[in-house]
Amino acid sequence: MSGVKPDAAPEKTFLDYAKTTPDGWTGGDSTFSVKLPDGRIIWLFSDTFLGPLNSDGTRPTSAPFVNSTMVVQSGSQLTTLRGGPKTRPEGLMKPAADKHWYWLGDGQLHTEGGTTYLQVIFQEYYKFGPGSWDFRHKANFVATFSLDDLGTSHGHEPLYIDPVPSTPGIGWGSALLPSSLSGDGYTYIYGVDDAPTNKKMRVARVKGTDLTGDWEYLNPGAGGWMRSEKQAANVYTGIANEYSVTPWYGGFMVVSQSSREAFSGEIKAAVSCSPHGTFQLETDVYRMPEPGPWGSYAGKTAGTVISYNAHVHNSMLNGGAGPYTLSYNVNSMDSRIESGADHYRDPGIYKPRFVAFSMTPTGGTLRSAAGEAG
């Protein structure tokens, strides 16, 4: 059993890319990933700063900022995909209205008629007031992208956009477990019943690989799988807005930042024999060192640094027993657009951190090398 390994790959690859790219990714959050048929990995980011950085490593206040991008990784080479023309970059999904935007969730591959596509779940949000947190979730969509010319074209927009049933405040796409990993022919779609603390998991599924198919929604108290999203039930408390469900020793492991307290630094795991729970035997995986009054950024920033949305990458699995690689996001609540503000003075804040770890069963409990070290 190996211990925790922070600064794991591909963290340095992203840092090196940000230093030199003329118009690509220089920081972002969400950090989902999908392995492509040819072995490349496509990284999915929500809010994203684009380059270039200044020669001294700071970020110019004129840096473009868009709400969703993809970064294609081929070895140590990265290429950024986003919407809009080069002179006016946009997110991958055009806003539905003024003060509306899309953040993305997890994605997976879908093959139809001999052609393989990338499908990504997007969530629509809108601004309702002047405060930094004055926004609400509205709806969820499945966007289907072509895999043609990935890595050669900077502009990349979806071929199709399909709405899925959406209760406001219930975000779908927090995680996906593809049918190739679930063991029962279903793709599992995980969501969140959002709240300031004690956020709750919801689970849906679709037969096969097409996320635009007919979803079923889990409600254990009503007998199982329901046809209506309004019949879905909360099934696990304490997850974050983004998390992961991963094969683990013949069962499944959920990894998430804890939401039992606001802005928690704790990343926890729980396991189940089934992709849809019940998840139990919760254990510590890792403590994110950045946030809080005693965190690694204490006294170094003008705003409050937060860490959030930890999840394991199925794209980097080496079999069902690990080792595993998780990422989490770090951000500053300093929203000023000026040279002395956190995001412009120190672009290194707003980037994913990667951590490798092992998790093994022992005597009816979980044992985490990362938890021991963290």
Side-chain angles (χ1 to χ4, degrees), residues 6 23 43 46 65 68 77 140 194 198 207 218 235 272 288 317:
D23 55 5
W43 297 91
S46 288
F65 182 80
S68 55
Q77 300 299 310
N140 308 291
D194 204 2
N198 292 311
K207 191 70 174 178
L218 182 62
V235 297
S272 172
M288 299 176 282
L317 283 180

Side-chain angles (χ1 to χ4, degrees), residues 155-239:
H156 207 72
E157 297 172 349
L159 296 171
Y160 315 107
I161 300 170
D162 292 278
V164 295
S166 301
T167 299
I170 306 298
W172 292 102
S174 300
L176 292 173
L177 183 69
S179 59
S180 60
L181 297 177
S182 70
D184 62 5
Y186 284 93
T187 291
Y188 286 83
I189 306 128
Y190 301 89
V192 60
D193 184 355
D194 204 2
T197 59
N198 292 311
K199 303 171 192 283
K200 297 174 175 62
M201 176 191 288
R202 293 199 178 186
V203 184
R205 69 181 186 180
V206 64
K207 191 70 174 178
T209 64
D210 188 0
L211 295 176
T212 68
D214 295 327
W215 290 24
E216 300 176 327
Y217 303 89
L218 182 62
N219 187 330
W225 295 98
M226 306 289 109
R227 294 182 62 184
S228 170
E229 193 226 16
K230 295 185 182 300
Q231 295 175 287
N234 296 328
V235 297
Y236 181 67
T237 299
I239 51 84

Side-chain angles (χ1 to χ4, degrees), residues 330-346:
V330 179
N331 204 339
S332 171
M333 296 172 68
D334 180 6
S335 60
R336 297 172 300 154
I337 304 176
E338 55 184 71
S339 59
D342 287 349
H343 288 304
Y344 300 92
R345 178 186 54 80
D346 184 359

Side-chain angles (χ1 to χ4, degrees), residues 281 360-367:
L281 300 177
T360 58
T362 175
T365 61
L366 301 183
R367 189 176 182 189

Side-chain angles (χ1 to χ4, degrees), residues 84-309:
K86 186 174 183 178
T87 56
R88 188 172 48 84
E90 300 173 345
L92 295 165
M93 294 264 282
K94 294 182 183 297
D98 186 40
K99 297 184 180 180
H100 286 233
W101 68 91
Y102 296 97
W103 284 329
L104 53 73
D106 207 350
Q108 69 168 27
L109 300 179
H110 165 58
T111 300
E112 182 177 343
T115 301
T116 300
Y117 302 91
L118 172 69
Q119 291 186 331
V120 181
I121 298 180
F122 279 78
Q123 302 172 2
E124 181 183 1
Y125 291 83
Y126 66 95
K127 189 82 169 163
F128 65 85
S132 297
W133 298 95
D134 290 346
F135 61 86
R136 291 193 183 104
H137 170 269
K138 181 180 179 181
N140 308 291
F141 299 84
V142 174
T144 300
F145 295 87
S146 169
L147 296 185
D148 294 341
D149 299 324
L150 287 183
T152 61
S153 173
H154 286 269
H156 207 72
E157 297 172 349
L159 296 171
Y160 315 107
I161 300 170
D162 292 278
V164 295
S166 301
T167 299
I170 306 298
W172 292 102
S174 300
L176 292 173
L177 183 69
S179 59
S180 60
L181 297 177
S182 70
D184 62 5
Y186 284 93
T187 291
Y188 286 83
I189 306 128
Y190 301 89
V192 60
D193 184 355
D194 204 2
T197 59
N198 292 311
K199 303 171 192 283
K200 297 174 175 62
M201 176 191 288
R202 293 199 178 186
V203 184
R205 69 181 186 180
V206 64
K207 191 70 174 178
T209 64
D210 188 0
L211 295 176
T212 68
D214 295 327
W215 290 24
E216 300 176 327
Y217 303 89
L218 182 62
N219 187 330
W225 295 98
M226 306 289 109
R227 294 182 62 184
S228 170
E229 193 226 16
K230 295 185 182 300
Q231 295 175 287
N234 296 328
V235 297
Y236 181 67
T237 299
I239 51 84
N241 291 79
E242 297 178 7
Y243 51 94
S244 59
V245 178
T246 305
W248 179 83
Y249 286 94
F252 301 90
M253 173 175 67
V254 59
V255 170
S256 176
Q257 176 191 21
S258 173
S259 65
R260 291 190 173 90
E261 62 181 19
F263 303 114
S264 170
E266 298 291 342
I267 299 174
K268 294 182 178 292
V271 296
S272 172
C273 295
S274 163
H276 50 80
T278 303
F279 291 100
Q280 54 191 337
L281 300 177
E282 188 174 278
T283 190
D284 294 334
V285 174
Y286 184 67
R287 182 173 182 86
M288 299 176 282
E290 294 83 6
W294 296 278
S296 59
Y297 279 96
K300 301 177 184 178
T301 61
T304 301
V305 166
I306 58 174
S307 300
Y308 54 103
N309 286 344

